[in-house]
Amino acid sequence: MAASQRRSPFWWRRSVFCLTALGASCIAYGYWVEPYWPAIIHIRVHSPKMAAGARSLKIVHISDVHSDPGPRLEERLPGLIAGEKPDVIVYSGDSINSPAALPVFKRLMTRLADLAPTFVVRGNWDTWYWRGVDLFGGTGVRELDGQAESLIVGDRRVWFAGVAVGHEHLAKAALKDVPAGSLTIFLYHYPYPDVLPEDGTNSVDLLCAGHTHGGQVALPFYGAIITLSKYGKKYESGLYRAEGTWMYVNRGIGMEGGDAPRVRFWARPEITVIEMVPG
């Protein structure tokens, strides 16, 4: 019994040391590894509006860049996206964490617009804190807020519509000029499929959203700890069938601004390559 009591403090100290080392390693990983380690996710979305044998539509979707004055992934993203050869790029909002980061963000947008037609909407940070900031001017991207624009891809015209956070009442107007039966992609920052009109104004094939950051800090087997979404974990990241349409929730590129720590854990920055195919 005495020998066992003498050994107990050793094993206790060893356990504390191992847990401390593990915690320090996780923190270091979250600060200095994962935020700089983007994942490229490939998915397929089938649309009955595309005839059998029709050319697929390749969309690169990014979100939540949250640029800071010192770039992180902004310089690498255009090269990674170019390698996917997209027909179009879509961005679902939350752009900068401070006005000093505007040059970093606008340079990224300019380079993306040089790669492929790029459609964007404003997220909650963009409308709450930077309403008066010209986020997209001069970059060549096309900002959507209550309207739709079309693009010819192959032999098909594809429509892109969207609204900024705070302008949800414009969703119906954004779709009113889209011809019935058209392949339609809708951009909105929040993963809220109920933003789409309920009266059948137009059937949207794909809603591209972000906002949740995949939790930004997540746990294995559980996922996001917090999403800051009214739906909680229901739409935390990935592809969902909701309200009669497909919805993709991108984990985003950057990290929450303000006083929040710039850390990601088990929620890598995401570039989503969405291939729309007949089906």
Side-chain angles (χ1 to χ4, degrees):
M1 180 66 69
S4 175
Q5 289 175 341
R6 284 196 299 271
R7 284 196 299 268
S8 294
F10 169 77
W11 290 108
W12 181 84
R13 288 195 299 270
R14 186 173 182 178
S15 299
V16 169
F17 174 79
C18 290
L19 289 174
T20 302
L22 177 62
S25 298
C26 289
I27 292 171
Y29 169 82
Y31 270 99
W32 291 298
V33 178
E34 189 161 298
Y36 302 91
W37 186 23
I40 301 178
I41 307 298
H42 291 83
I43 66 165
R44 279 192 167 195
V45 173
H46 294 265
S47 171
K49 295 178 184 175
M50 301 178 71
R55 177 190 184 280
S56 64
L57 171 68
K58 185 180 285 189
I59 303 168
V60 164
H61 175 203
I62 62 171
S63 190
D64 298 87
V65 171
H66 280 284
S67 289
D68 281 309
R72 282 182 297 268
L73 288 175
E74 288 88 348
E75 294 299 316
R76 292 176 55 202
L77 283 176
L80 294 171
I81 291 172
E84 298 300 325
K85 297 180 173 57
D87 295 307
V88 63
I89 300 167
V90 298
Y91 171 65
S92 47
D94 271 11
S95 305
I96 59 174
N97 287 334
S98 72
L102 188 59
V104 173
F105 176 75
K106 293 188 82 167
R107 173 171 166 76
L108 169 62
M109 290 291 110
T110 300
R111 293 178 66 190
L112 294 183
D114 287 341
L115 294 176
T118 302
F119 296 94
V120 304
V121 292
R122 289 183 176 237
N124 60 300
W125 273 70
D126 303 326
T127 57
W128 291 354
Y129 305 119
W130 320 123
R131 184 180 298 273
V133 175
D134 182 8
L135 294 172
F136 305 111
T139 64
V141 305
R142 310 182 196 183
E143 183 177 359
L144 300 173
D145 191 13
Q147 79 275 20
E149 296 190 22
S150 66
L151 185 69
I152 298 293
V153 180
D155 59 354
R156 171 176 289 276
R157 184 175 294 276
V158 184
W159 288 83
F160 297 84
V163 293
V165 168
H167 291 173
E168 291 79 5
H169 62 286
L170 298 177
K172 184 175 181 179
L175 293 166
K176 68 180 179 62
D177 293 328
V178 178
S182 297
L183 188 64
T184 308
I185 289 85
F186 195 92
L187 309 185
Y188 180 56
H189 181 64
Y190 291 143
Y192 300 171
D194 51 4
V195 72
L196 299 175
E198 297 178 353
D199 61 0
T201 301
N202 194 283
S203 59
V204 170
D205 296 88
L206 175 66
L207 169 61
C208 291
H211 181 64
T212 66
H213 299 198
Q216 194 167 306
V217 174
L219 298 176
F221 308 111
Y222 178 77
I225 296 174
I226 186 170
T227 65
L228 299 179
S229 166
K230 70 178 182 180
Y231 287 110
K233 287 174 61 64
K234 184 176 181 180
Y235 302 126
E236 65 179 66
S237 67
L239 183 66
Y240 301 90
R241 187 71 179 171
E243 304 290 336
T245 190
W246 290 107
M247 178 174 68
Y248 194 86
V249 185
N250 182 283
R251 291 194 301 264
I253 296 296
M255 293 163 284
E256 195 78 6
D259 296 327
R262 304 299 195 267
V263 61
R264 275 185 177 267
F265 187 84
W266 217 260
R268 288 169 62 190
E270 179 178 346
I271 301 166
T272 314
V273 183
I274 304 170
E275 188 178 9
M276 299 199 71
V277 298

